[in-house]
Amino acid sequence: MRIVVLAGGIGGARFLQGVRAWDQNAEITAVVNTADDVTLHGLRICTDLDSVMYTLGGGHDEERGWGRTGETWAVKDELAEYGAEPTWFGLGDKDIATHLVRTRMLDAGYPLSAVTDALCDRWKPGVRLLPMTDDRVETHVVLAEELEGAGVRRRAVHFQEWWVRYRASLKADRFVQVGIEDAKPAPGVLEAIAAADLILFAPSNPVVSIDTILGVPGIRAGLAAASAKVVGVSPIIGGAPVRGMAEKCLPVVGVEVSASGVGAHYGARAYGGLLDGWLVDETDAGTVLFGADVRAVPLWMTDPETTARTMVSEAAAIGGIGRE
Ligand code: GDP
Ligand code: CA
C-alpha cells in the first residue's frame, strides 16, 4: 500500500501520525511545503519539514505545538542582548543544532531532499519525508499599508515575518511565491504520486501550505493524472480553523473560511479540480462539492489512533483501499 500525503507543518504532522497509525505496513510518502522556509542569523530553517520530522520522530513539544521537547533558549536570549535582529523568531537551542547541520550540508552543495534524508536518519519518522522541491521558494506577503490621506504603500515581507512577528495583523494584499515558476518537484515526488494507491491532502493551511505545493510546476498535473483517488481533509471546522490562523490567509485569496469554501477552492477532479473525496467535520455535514464524495466525520485530531480510526479509514474507504 502506497500512500502520499501533501502536508504543511502542524496540521500535516498530526495527520501523518494518524496515517502511520492506520497502517504500519503502508509505504507513506509526505510531500512537505517548503515555502515557509527562511534564512535567519545565517541558518536555513525549514519550519514545516521540522514540524513533521520532530513530531513523527517523537521529539516535538506537544503543548507548544512546534519545536523540540525540553527546549532551552540561551542562544535566542544572547542574540537579543546583542540587539541582533530578528528577535521575534523562536529559535530554540536544540532546534538550532538541526539548522546548523542543515545549513552546513546545503552550503556543501547537498540538495534539501538529501539533507532531509540525513536528518531523518536520526529521527526515523517512519514516513518518507520529501520537500516539495529542492529549489528555493519563499512565500512573501505584499502588505497594503494605508497612509493617512496619501493612498496606499505596498511592501513585501517574508511570510514568517507577517505570521510570527505581526501575528497576521497587518493587512495583506496578496501572497507571492518567489521562485515557484522555476522550481522543480524534488526527486521522487512525481514518482510517488504516480505510483500511489491513495493520495491525501492533510488538513493543512490551504493557502500557504497546500497551494504552494500544488504551485510547483508538474505537481498539479501529476495529481490530475494519478490513478489513485485524491481525498482532502478540511482544516476548517464550523467556519474556523482548528489551530492556527488560516482564517487570515483564505480571504486574501478570495476563499470563504468554511469547509465548503476550501473544498470548492481545491475543486472536484470530475470538474477539472483535484479532489475525488472531501472530508468535513460532523458540524459541517451537508457540505456539497459537486462531483466529489463528501463525507462528514469527526475531524478533531486528538491522538493518532482516533485520527486513524475516524479520518484516515474514511478517506481510505473513499479511495477504495483497505489495510494490508
Ligand atoms: P503550519 O504549517 O504549522 O501552519 O501547519 P499546517 O499548514 O500543516 O496546518 C495548519 C492548519 O491545520 C490550520 O489551518 C488548522 O486549521 C489545521 N488543523 C490543526 N489541527 C487540526 C485538527 O485537529 N483538525 C483539523 N481538521 N484541522 C486541524
Ligand atoms: Ca507552515
Side-chain angles (χ1 to χ4, degrees):
M1 172 94 59
R2 302 193 194 103
I3 305 176
V4 171
V5 182
L6 270 48
I10 295 169
R14 286 182 163 250
F15 185 66
L16 279 159
Q17 285 182 307
V19 178
R20 190 179 58 179
W22 182 67
D23 185 350
Q24 263 119 34
N25 300 315
E27 203 181 286
I28 304 164
T29 302
V31 177
V32 181
N33 171 49
T34 57
D36 296 355
D37 296 6
V38 65
T39 299
L40 299 173
H41 305 290
L43 301 174
R44 191 66 181 160
I45 301 166
C46 302
T47 52
D48 290 5
L49 278 169
D50 287 346
S51 286
V52 173
M53 183 175 76
Y54 293 153
T55 303
L56 293 178
H60 67 300
D61 187 304
E62 182 83 35
E63 210 170 301
R64 196 181 329 113
W66 55 271
R68 293 290 324 279
T69 38
E71 189 58 283
T72 53
W73 309 90
V75 174
K76 182 176 192 280
D77 293 344
E78 287 294 310
L79 286 168
E81 289 296 331
Y82 284 110
E85 292 291 343
T87 50
W88 43 263
F89 195 83
L91 267 184
D93 299 332
K94 292 185 176 185
D95 203 18
I96 285 172
T98 305
H99 309 321
L100 283 169
V101 174
R102 174 186 294 121
T103 305
R104 180 174 166 179
M105 287 188 75
L106 289 171
D107 286 349
Y110 289 96
L112 181 61
S113 50
V115 176
T116 304
D117 250 2
L119 295 172
C120 286
D121 273 348
R122 173 184 174 193
W123 289 103
K124 305 203 176 0
V127 162
R128 187 160 66 124
L129 288 197
L130 296 180
M132 65 184 196
T133 179
D134 278 335
D135 300 312
R136 182 167 170 162
V137 175
E138 287 183 5
T139 300
H140 288 199
V141 186
V142 180
L143 304 175
E145 295 173 323
E146 311 270 347
L147 303 175
E148 272 176 53
V152 176
R153 182 180 63 177
R154 277 173 228 287
R155 71 182 171 105
V157 297
H158 191 287
F159 172 73
Q160 294 290 0
E161 185 168 0
W162 184 65
W163 195 247
V164 177
R165 183 180 191 181
Y166 298 113
R167 311 291 306 157
S169 62
L170 301 182
K171 191 172 177 311
D173 193 49
R174 62 201 162 91
F175 298 106
V176 180
Q177 275 81 36
V178 181
I180 202 153
E181 302 85 354
D182 302 319
K184 291 170 295 299
V189 169
L190 294 181
E191 292 81 353
I193 289 171
D197 299 304
L198 179 66
I199 299 170
L200 303 170
F201 290 7
S204 288
N205 188 310
V207 182
V208 293
S209 293
I210 302 294
D211 275 0
T212 50
I213 301 172
L214 298 173
V216 175
I219 292 188
R220 187 177 278 271
L223 290 167
S227 56
K229 289 271 202 305
V230 178
V231 181
V233 181
S234 176
I236 306 293
I237 296 180
V242 182
R243 299 178 178 87
M245 311 182 285
E247 85 280 6
K248 307 274 194 189
C249 298
L250 287 165
V252 178
V253 297
V255 175
E256 186 187 84
V257 184
S258 68
S260 78
V262 176
H265 177 63
Y266 293 144
R269 176 137 70 153
Y271 292 96
L274 293 163
L275 300 177
D276 299 299
W278 183 230
L279 293 189
V280 302
D281 187 69
E282 285 171 319
T283 57
D284 297 308
T287 297
V288 176
L289 178 60
F290 208 55
D293 187 346
V294 183
R295 299 194 190 177
V297 293
L299 286 194
W300 280 91
M301 297 187 287
T302 48
D303 60 278
E305 286 66 36
T306 309
T307 302
R309 195 165 9 88
T310 56
M311 298 160 68
V312 184
S313 65
E314 196 68 27
I318 296 177
I321 63 165
R323 258 184 288 209
E324 276 174 8

PDB file of all heavy atoms in Angstrom, residues 10 14 17 55 58-71 73 243-244 302:
ATOM      1  N   ILE A  10       2.104  21.791  11.310  1.00  0.00           N
ATOM      2  CA  ILE A  10       1.470  21.139  12.453  1.00  0.00           C
ATOM      3  C   ILE A  10       0.266  20.270  12.060  1.00  0.00           C
ATOM      4  O   ILE A  10       0.146  19.132  12.498  1.00  0.00           O
ATOM      5  CB  ILE A  10       1.044  22.201  13.493  1.00  0.00           C
ATOM      6  CG1 ILE A  10       2.293  22.888  14.064  1.00  0.00           C
ATOM      7  CG2 ILE A  10       0.243  21.580  14.606  1.00  0.00           C
ATOM      8  CD1 ILE A  10       2.006  24.112  14.889  1.00  0.00           C
ATOM      9  N   ARG A  14       0.334  16.127  12.523  1.00  0.00           N
ATOM     10  CA  ARG A  14      -0.659  15.377  13.300  1.00  0.00           C
ATOM     11  C   ARG A  14      -1.421  14.391  12.426  1.00  0.00           C
ATOM     12  O   ARG A  14      -1.716  13.278  12.838  1.00  0.00           O
ATOM     13  CB  ARG A  14      -1.660  16.331  13.952  1.00  0.00           C
ATOM     14  CG  ARG A  14      -1.062  17.066  15.106  1.00  0.00           C
ATOM     15  CD  ARG A  14      -2.115  17.958  15.758  1.00  0.00           C
ATOM     16  NE  ARG A  14      -1.663  18.334  17.067  1.00  0.00           N
ATOM     17  CZ  ARG A  14      -2.206  17.900  18.208  1.00  0.00           C
ATOM     18  NH1 ARG A  14      -3.243  17.107  18.191  1.00  0.00           N
ATOM     19  NH2 ARG A  14      -1.720  18.279  19.367  1.00  0.00           N
ATOM     20  N   GLN A  17       0.706  11.392  11.680  1.00  0.00           N
ATOM     21  CA  GLN A  17       0.723  10.445  12.797  1.00  0.00           C
ATOM     22  C   GLN A  17      -0.453   9.476  12.689  1.00  0.00           C
ATOM     23  O   GLN A  17      -0.328   8.293  12.979  1.00  0.00           O
ATOM     24  CB  GLN A  17       0.595  11.185  14.140  1.00  0.00           C
ATOM     25  CG  GLN A  17       1.842  11.913  14.594  1.00  0.00           C
ATOM     26  CD  GLN A  17       1.616  12.557  15.959  1.00  0.00           C
ATOM     27  OE1 GLN A  17       0.649  13.307  16.154  1.00  0.00           O
ATOM     28  NE2 GLN A  17       2.480  12.255  16.910  1.00  0.00           N
ATOM     29  N   THR A  55       7.732  15.756  15.070  1.00  0.00           N
ATOM     30  CA  THR A  55       6.501  15.131  15.570  1.00  0.00           C
ATOM     31  C   THR A  55       6.524  13.628  15.321  1.00  0.00           C
ATOM     32  O   THR A  55       6.271  12.827  16.227  1.00  0.00           O
ATOM     33  CB  THR A  55       5.263  15.752  14.888  1.00  0.00           C
ATOM     34  OG1 THR A  55       5.263  17.152  15.122  1.00  0.00           O
ATOM     35  CG2 THR A  55       3.971  15.158  15.442  1.00  0.00           C
ATOM     36  N   GLY A  58       8.967  11.834  17.468  1.00  0.00           N
ATOM     37  CA  GLY A  58       8.719  11.856  18.912  1.00  0.00           C
ATOM     38  C   GLY A  58       9.539  12.908  19.655  1.00  0.00           C
ATOM     39  O   GLY A  58       9.667  12.845  20.876  1.00  0.00           O
ATOM     40  N   GLY A  59      10.060  13.892  18.957  1.00  0.00           N
ATOM     41  CA  GLY A  59      10.892  14.897  19.622  1.00  0.00           C
ATOM     42  C   GLY A  59      10.245  16.260  19.713  1.00  0.00           C
ATOM     43  O   GLY A  59      10.913  17.261  19.985  1.00  0.00           O
ATOM     44  N   HIS A  60       8.954  16.322  19.457  1.00  0.00           N
ATOM     45  CA  HIS A  60       8.271  17.625  19.407  1.00  0.00           C
ATOM     46  C   HIS A  60       7.657  17.995  20.749  1.00  0.00           C
ATOM     47  O   HIS A  60       7.336  17.135  21.560  1.00  0.00           O
ATOM     48  CB  HIS A  60       7.162  17.585  18.356  1.00  0.00           C
ATOM     49  CG  HIS A  60       6.045  16.650  18.732  1.00  0.00           C
ATOM     50  ND1 HIS A  60       6.254  15.304  18.945  1.00  0.00           N
ATOM     51  CD2 HIS A  60       4.720  16.861  18.946  1.00  0.00           C
ATOM     52  CE1 HIS A  60       5.087  14.737  19.263  1.00  0.00           C
ATOM     53  NE2 HIS A  60       4.147  15.656  19.277  1.00  0.00           N
ATOM     54  N   ASP A  61       7.480  19.277  20.941  1.00  0.00           N
ATOM     55  CA  ASP A  61       6.811  19.764  22.142  1.00  0.00           C
ATOM     56  C   ASP A  61       5.306  19.773  21.882  1.00  0.00           C
ATOM     57  O   ASP A  61       4.798  20.609  21.137  1.00  0.00           O
ATOM     58  CB  ASP A  61       7.305  21.172  22.477  1.00  0.00           C
ATOM     59  CG  ASP A  61       6.770  21.659  23.819  1.00  0.00           C
ATOM     60  OD1 ASP A  61       5.529  21.667  24.007  1.00  0.00           O
ATOM     61  OD2 ASP A  61       7.591  22.030  24.672  1.00  0.00           O
ATOM     62  N   GLU A  62       4.639  18.837  22.512  1.00  0.00           N
ATOM     63  CA  GLU A  62       3.205  18.628  22.269  1.00  0.00           C
ATOM     64  C   GLU A  62       2.393  19.874  22.636  1.00  0.00           C
ATOM     65  O   GLU A  62       1.503  20.285  21.906  1.00  0.00           O
ATOM     66  CB  GLU A  62       2.744  17.428  23.106  1.00  0.00           C
ATOM     67  CG  GLU A  62       1.290  17.041  22.927  1.00  0.00           C
ATOM     68  CD  GLU A  62       1.057  16.160  21.696  1.00  0.00           C
ATOM     69  OE1 GLU A  62       1.939  15.337  21.383  1.00  0.00           O
ATOM     70  OE2 GLU A  62      -0.007  16.309  21.068  1.00  0.00           O
ATOM     71  N   GLU A  63       2.752  20.482  23.766  1.00  0.00           N
ATOM     72  CA  GLU A  63       1.961  21.600  24.273  1.00  0.00           C
ATOM     73  C   GLU A  63       2.138  22.863  23.425  1.00  0.00           C
ATOM     74  O   GLU A  63       1.161  23.494  23.025  1.00  0.00           O
ATOM     75  CB  GLU A  63       2.384  21.899  25.699  1.00  0.00           C
ATOM     76  CG  GLU A  63       1.279  22.466  26.563  1.00  0.00           C
ATOM     77  CD  GLU A  63       1.722  22.488  28.013  1.00  0.00           C
ATOM     78  OE1 GLU A  63       2.045  21.407  28.557  1.00  0.00           O
ATOM     79  OE2 GLU A  63       1.799  23.580  28.575  1.00  0.00           O
ATOM     80  N   ARG A  64       3.395  23.196  23.116  1.00  0.00           N
ATOM     81  CA  ARG A  64       3.653  24.388  22.318  1.00  0.00           C
ATOM     82  C   ARG A  64       3.180  24.190  20.885  1.00  0.00           C
ATOM     83  O   ARG A  64       2.747  25.119  20.217  1.00  0.00           O
ATOM     84  CB  ARG A  64       5.146  24.733  22.350  1.00  0.00           C
ATOM     85  CG  ARG A  64       5.433  26.136  21.893  1.00  0.00           C
ATOM     86  CD  ARG A  64       6.929  26.504  21.889  1.00  0.00           C
ATOM     87  NE  ARG A  64       7.714  25.837  22.887  1.00  0.00           N
ATOM     88  CZ  ARG A  64       8.672  24.931  22.615  1.00  0.00           C
ATOM     89  NH1 ARG A  64       8.958  24.603  21.388  1.00  0.00           N
ATOM     90  NH2 ARG A  64       9.340  24.355  23.590  1.00  0.00           N
ATOM     91  N   GLY A  65       3.264  22.943  20.420  1.00  0.00           N
ATOM     92  CA  GLY A  65       2.782  22.653  19.073  1.00  0.00           C
ATOM     93  C   GLY A  65       3.884  22.688  18.034  1.00  0.00           C
ATOM     94  O   GLY A  65       3.742  22.158  16.952  1.00  0.00           O
ATOM     95  N   TRP A  66       5.000  23.328  18.326  1.00  0.00           N
ATOM     96  CA  TRP A  66       6.114  23.352  17.381  1.00  0.00           C
ATOM     97  C   TRP A  66       7.410  23.263  18.182  1.00  0.00           C
ATOM     98  O   TRP A  66       7.429  23.456  19.392  1.00  0.00           O
ATOM     99  CB  TRP A  66       6.107  24.623  16.527  1.00  0.00           C
ATOM    100  CG  TRP A  66       6.086  25.894  17.312  1.00  0.00           C
ATOM    101  CD1 TRP A  66       4.987  26.568  17.753  1.00  0.00           C
ATOM    102  CD2 TRP A  66       7.226  26.622  17.813  1.00  0.00           C
ATOM    103  NE1 TRP A  66       5.358  27.671  18.478  1.00  0.00           N
ATOM    104  CE2 TRP A  66       6.735  27.734  18.525  1.00  0.00           C
ATOM    105  CE3 TRP A  66       8.603  26.458  17.722  1.00  0.00           C
ATOM    106  CZ2 TRP A  66       7.566  28.665  19.141  1.00  0.00           C
ATOM    107  CZ3 TRP A  66       9.442  27.392  18.333  1.00  0.00           C
ATOM    108  CH2 TRP A  66       8.910  28.483  19.025  1.00  0.00           C
ATOM    109  N   GLY A  67       8.481  22.940  17.499  1.00  0.00           N
ATOM    110  CA  GLY A  67       9.798  22.900  18.142  1.00  0.00           C
ATOM    111  C   GLY A  67      10.015  21.659  18.993  1.00  0.00           C
ATOM    112  O   GLY A  67       9.194  20.741  19.019  1.00  0.00           O
ATOM    113  N   ARG A  68      11.152  21.654  19.697  1.00  0.00           N
ATOM    114  CA  ARG A  68      11.620  20.475  20.414  1.00  0.00           C
ATOM    115  C   ARG A  68      11.105  20.382  21.843  1.00  0.00           C
ATOM    116  O   ARG A  68      10.843  21.395  22.482  1.00  0.00           O
ATOM    117  CB  ARG A  68      13.160  20.506  20.448  1.00  0.00           C
ATOM    118  CG  ARG A  68      13.853  20.329  19.086  1.00  0.00           C
ATOM    119  CD  ARG A  68      13.677  18.919  18.594  1.00  0.00           C
ATOM    120  NE  ARG A  68      13.724  17.947  19.692  1.00  0.00           N
ATOM    121  CZ  ARG A  68      14.840  17.496  20.242  1.00  0.00           C
ATOM    122  NH1 ARG A  68      16.006  17.868  19.796  1.00  0.00           N
ATOM    123  NH2 ARG A  68      14.800  16.646  21.244  1.00  0.00           N
ATOM    124  N   THR A  69      11.070  19.143  22.323  1.00  0.00           N
ATOM    125  CA  THR A  69      10.779  18.905  23.743  1.00  0.00           C
ATOM    126  C   THR A  69      11.959  19.397  24.569  1.00  0.00           C
ATOM    127  O   THR A  69      13.099  19.335  24.135  1.00  0.00           O
ATOM    128  CB  THR A  69      10.648  17.393  24.045  1.00  0.00           C
ATOM    129  OG1 THR A  69      11.615  16.695  23.271  1.00  0.00           O
ATOM    130  CG2 THR A  69       9.268  16.879  23.783  1.00  0.00           C
ATOM    131  N   GLY A  70      11.670  19.842  25.781  1.00  0.00           N
ATOM    132  CA  GLY A  70      12.733  20.239  26.708  1.00  0.00           C
ATOM    133  C   GLY A  70      13.643  21.298  26.129  1.00  0.00           C
ATOM    134  O   GLY A  70      14.852  21.305  26.387  1.00  0.00           O
ATOM    135  N   GLU A  71      13.067  22.187  25.358  1.00  0.00           N
ATOM    136  CA  GLU A  71      13.860  23.211  24.665  1.00  0.00           C
ATOM    137  C   GLU A  71      14.372  24.264  25.654  1.00  0.00           C
ATOM    138  O   GLU A  71      13.751  24.539  26.684  1.00  0.00           O
ATOM    139  CB  GLU A  71      12.982  23.869  23.582  1.00  0.00           C
ATOM    140  CG  GLU A  71      13.703  24.813  22.634  1.00  0.00           C
ATOM    141  CD  GLU A  71      14.840  24.150  21.875  1.00  0.00           C
ATOM    142  OE1 GLU A  71      15.903  23.959  22.496  1.00  0.00           O
ATOM    143  OE2 GLU A  71      14.690  23.864  20.671  1.00  0.00           O
ATOM    144  N   TRP A  73      16.522  28.328  25.576  1.00  0.00           N
ATOM    145  CA  TRP A  73      16.533  29.499  24.688  1.00  0.00           C
ATOM    146  C   TRP A  73      17.741  30.386  24.911  1.00  0.00           C
ATOM    147  O   TRP A  73      17.690  31.591  24.658  1.00  0.00           O
ATOM    148  CB  TRP A  73      15.228  30.291  24.889  1.00  0.00           C
ATOM    149  CG  TRP A  73      14.028  29.420  24.775  1.00  0.00           C
ATOM    150  CD1 TRP A  73      13.398  28.729  25.782  1.00  0.00           C
ATOM    151  CD2 TRP A  73      13.333  29.058  23.567  1.00  0.00           C
ATOM    152  NE1 TRP A  73      12.358  27.978  25.276  1.00  0.00           N
ATOM    153  CE2 TRP A  73      12.291  28.164  23.923  1.00  0.00           C
ATOM    154  CE3 TRP A  73      13.498  29.414  22.226  1.00  0.00           C
ATOM    155  CZ2 TRP A  73      11.425  27.621  22.974  1.00  0.00           C
ATOM    156  CZ3 TRP A  73      12.623  28.877  21.280  1.00  0.00           C
ATOM    157  CH2 TRP A  73      11.614  27.993  21.663  1.00  0.00           C
ATOM    158  N   ARG A 243      -6.543  24.928  14.688  1.00  0.00           N
ATOM    159  CA  ARG A 243      -5.395  25.521  15.375  1.00  0.00           C
ATOM    160  C   ARG A 243      -4.762  26.436  14.341  1.00  0.00           C
ATOM    161  O   ARG A 243      -4.728  26.126  13.177  1.00  0.00           O
ATOM    162  CB  ARG A 243      -4.375  24.461  15.788  1.00  0.00           C
ATOM    163  CG  ARG A 243      -4.923  23.424  16.736  1.00  0.00           C
ATOM    164  CD  ARG A 243      -3.869  22.378  17.056  1.00  0.00           C
ATOM    165  NE  ARG A 243      -4.362  21.397  18.011  1.00  0.00           N
ATOM    166  CZ  ARG A 243      -5.034  20.307  17.666  1.00  0.00           C
ATOM    167  NH1 ARG A 243      -5.270  20.052  16.395  1.00  0.00           N
ATOM    168  NH2 ARG A 243      -5.464  19.463  18.581  1.00  0.00           N
ATOM    169  N   GLY A 244      -4.232  27.532  14.779  1.00  0.00           N
ATOM    170  CA  GLY A 244      -3.570  28.403  13.813  1.00  0.00           C
ATOM    171  C   GLY A 244      -4.486  29.503  13.319  1.00  0.00           C
ATOM    172  O   GLY A 244      -5.557  29.737  13.876  1.00  0.00           O
ATOM    173  N   THR A 302      -7.218  14.474  18.003  1.00  0.00           N
ATOM    174  CA  THR A 302      -6.837  14.445  19.412  1.00  0.00           C
ATOM    175  C   THR A 302      -5.627  13.546  19.643  1.00  0.00           C
ATOM    176  O   THR A 302      -4.719  13.891  20.381  1.00  0.00           O
ATOM    177  CB  THR A 302      -8.009  13.960  20.282  1.00  0.00           C
ATOM    178  OG1 THR A 302      -8.549  12.768  19.684  1.00  0.00           O
ATOM    179  CG2 THR A 302      -9.098  15.012  20.361  1.00  0.00           C
TER     180      THR A 302
END
